[in-house]
Amino acid sequence: MNANILTDLCEIMHGLGERIPRRDTVEIMHSVLIKQMILLIYQMQKAAILLKHQSISIKHVLYVLKNHKVTLIRILSYYLLKDTIHQLNKLSDTDEDKEKKRKNKKSKLELIDKDIVENITNLEDVSLKIDDPASALAEVDFTTKDLSPENTKVKSIFKKLRNAIVELKLKINITEEEIRKSNETRLLRANDISIILTANAYEGYEVCRSKNFHKNKIGERLLLQVHKALPWDITYNNQVKEVLLFLAKETISYIIDRVYESRKCTDSCDENNLKIIKKKKYGSILVDEITSVIKSTWKTPFEEIRYPYDEEDAFFNNQLIFEL
């Protein structure tokens, strides 16, 4: 197992709220993630075949996730925010020198690499604040295409997502309340973690929150492992790859969500007690807790799942580990 991938994964998990990741937990999370991505790409390929398309596109990502509404909301929220940041960058001072623009753009884009909760509901850079992000997404008409001219340099993934929803005739009726609720738990967890960490530990936590699979070829290494296990040679464009890497982090985040949800204190437990929060609520995640989450979705016993696979492997009959 590649030590670099485990180190990166450990940091990503920490940034998502796993306070002190254990090595055995990181290893099983890596195994789950590989299998999840294999299953996701397999289902996208099957969707392309079903729809009689030659290659995988954004449309097939949406087709596979059409019943995972909360996950769709998170994807749409994230890429709407990216578009907004790009538009704000275009409106920046034209007299600014190129180097300053480059650094400014980088600092703004790094904001969206933190936990998606903060990105959507609590942007730190005042210049990037949206009056009401939930309202902005809720007001989008997903029954009509966005026919605005395409930027030749920066392709809008949100626009692709919106237009694909229209083409697939998916009924996407998103309310502001659903958007807020989709990130509420993660925001609370981020706040809890910030309270219980020391100043130095908090700095490290903030660095880890910006970690994702798009940086430093982390995602490249992940997808290389995934494609080695698939029964066919599958290709897709960079926009699909971008969304796949977002979904890789979303997979980990959702599993962590489920683990902490199962740890909710009983009525006799004071959740405001920092000692309780540290030792019980946010103690290290155990292997058994992850396998418990997996068992509720994958019917194939985890220890029996082996790769590489053939086309008729029973594993491909399992469901994806995403929030509905």
Side-chain angles (χ1 to χ4, degrees):
M1 192 177 293
N2 191 309
N4 289 334
I5 288 181
L6 290 183
T7 300
D8 292 328
L9 187 54
C10 179
E11 292 174 351
I12 288 172
M13 289 173 63
H14 180 54
L16 291 172
E18 162 56 308
R19 202 164 61 89
I20 310 173
R22 293 164 50 107
R23 182 178 177 85
D24 57 349
T25 304
V26 175
E27 288 176 350
I28 194 168
M29 186 70 85
H30 173 259
S31 180
V32 171
L33 181 59
I34 293 290
K35 294 175 175 68
Q36 165 89 335
M37 299 306 291
I38 289 168
L39 186 57
L40 174 59
I41 294 173
Y42 170 85
Q43 291 191 10
M44 287 163 54
Q45 173 77 350
K46 296 293 282 187
I49 294 170
L50 179 66
L51 297 173
K52 298 180 180 180
H53 296 154
Q54 295 296 317
S55 58
I56 292 175
S57 69
I58 290 287
K59 187 179 295 185
H60 307 115
V61 179
L62 289 167
Y63 186 87
V64 167
L65 297 176
K66 62 181 183 292
N67 295 323
H68 297 269
K69 188 173 184 179
V70 176
T71 303
L72 281 177
I73 288 173
R74 289 174 182 149
I75 293 172
L76 293 168
S77 298
Y78 181 82
Y79 287 107
L80 176 59
L81 181 68
K82 284 196 77 168
D83 271 14
T84 303
I85 291 174
H86 175 67
Q87 292 300 320
L88 288 169
N89 281 327
K90 285 174 64 177
L91 295 173
S92 61
D93 187 358
T94 55
D95 294 329
E96 201 173 24
D97 65 86
K98 289 184 179 180
E99 181 62 18
K100 190 174 180 181
K101 276 188 176 182
R102 185 187 66 79
K103 289 181 179 178
N104 189 38
K105 180 179 179 181
K106 182 180 179 183
S107 67
K108 289 178 179 179
L109 288 175
E110 282 177 348
L111 284 172
I112 62 175
D113 292 330
K114 290 187 178 182
D115 181 33
I116 193 169
V117 175
E118 185 162 298
N119 298 337
I120 304 303
T121 62
N122 187 28
L123 281 171
E124 295 174 351
D125 188 331
V126 176
S127 68
L128 298 183
K129 280 186 180 289
I130 306 171
D131 290 340
D132 189 345
S135 177
L137 179 59
E139 289 175 1
V140 175
D141 182 0
F142 288 106
T143 63
T144 59
K145 286 187 175 184
D146 178 352
L147 300 177
S148 60
E150 188 72 78
N151 187 317
T152 55
K153 291 184 178 180
V154 181
K155 302 291 185 182
S156 168
I157 292 180
F158 180 79
K159 179 179 176 180
K160 290 283 187 183
L161 290 165
R162 174 180 172 174
N163 291 347
I165 287 170
V166 176
E167 290 173 14
L168 289 170
K169 298 180 180 179
L170 299 182
K171 294 181 180 179
I172 304 292
N173 181 25
I174 302 173
T175 67
E176 292 181 35
E177 184 65 18
E178 286 175 318
I179 296 166
R180 292 191 175 93
K181 281 188 175 180
S182 71
N183 292 307
E184 190 174 50
T185 300
R186 297 177 184 182
L187 179 58
L188 291 172
R189 183 164 72 236
N191 288 340
D192 281 350
I193 295 294
S194 67
I195 291 170
I196 64 180
L197 292 177
T198 64
N200 288 339
Y202 181 74
E203 285 184 18
Y205 171 61
E206 282 293 288
V207 170
C208 288
R209 288 185 73 193
S210 70
K211 282 271 187 177
N212 60 41
F213 289 98
H214 299 92
K215 293 182 177 181
N216 302 325
K217 297 188 177 180
I218 304 172
E220 297 281 354
R221 294 196 296 270
L222 173 69
L223 291 178
L224 181 62
Q225 289 183 312
V226 169
H227 282 278
K228 282 182 178 179
L230 283 164
W232 332 271
D233 182 19
I234 297 176
T235 59
Y236 38 78
N237 62 32
N238 286 333
Q239 289 183 322
V240 172
K241 178 181 173 182
E242 158 85 26
V243 177
L244 283 174
L245 296 181
F246 172 86
L247 289 170
K249 187 171 180 178
E250 175 61 26
T251 297
I252 299 169
S253 192
Y254 176 58
I255 292 172
I256 291 174
D257 289 346
R258 291 285 304 279
V259 168
Y260 287 138
E261 182 182 341
S262 68
R263 286 184 180 182
K264 281 184 178 177
C265 292
T266 60
D267 293 339
S268 60
C269 172
D270 180 8
E271 287 198 338
N272 294 316
N273 186 311
L274 288 182
K275 189 176 290 186
I276 293 293
I277 292 175
K278 275 187 178 182
K279 293 187 176 180
K280 183 171 183 178
K281 191 173 182 181
Y282 294 117
S284 294
I285 293 175
L286 304 177
V287 167
D288 287 348
E289 291 180 298
I290 293 180
T291 55
S292 178
V293 172
I294 304 310
K295 285 177 183 177
S296 66
T297 304
W298 290 350
K299 304 310 175 187
T300 308
F302 186 74
E303 61 276 6
E304 294 180 13
I305 301 174
R306 299 283 187 272
Y307 54 83
Y309 306 105
D310 58 52
E311 290 189 44
E312 304 302 321
D313 200 290
F315 172 66
F316 291 131
N317 296 323
N318 286 292
Q319 300 298 310
L320 292 164
I321 306 171
F322 287 127
E323 192 161 355
L324 298 173

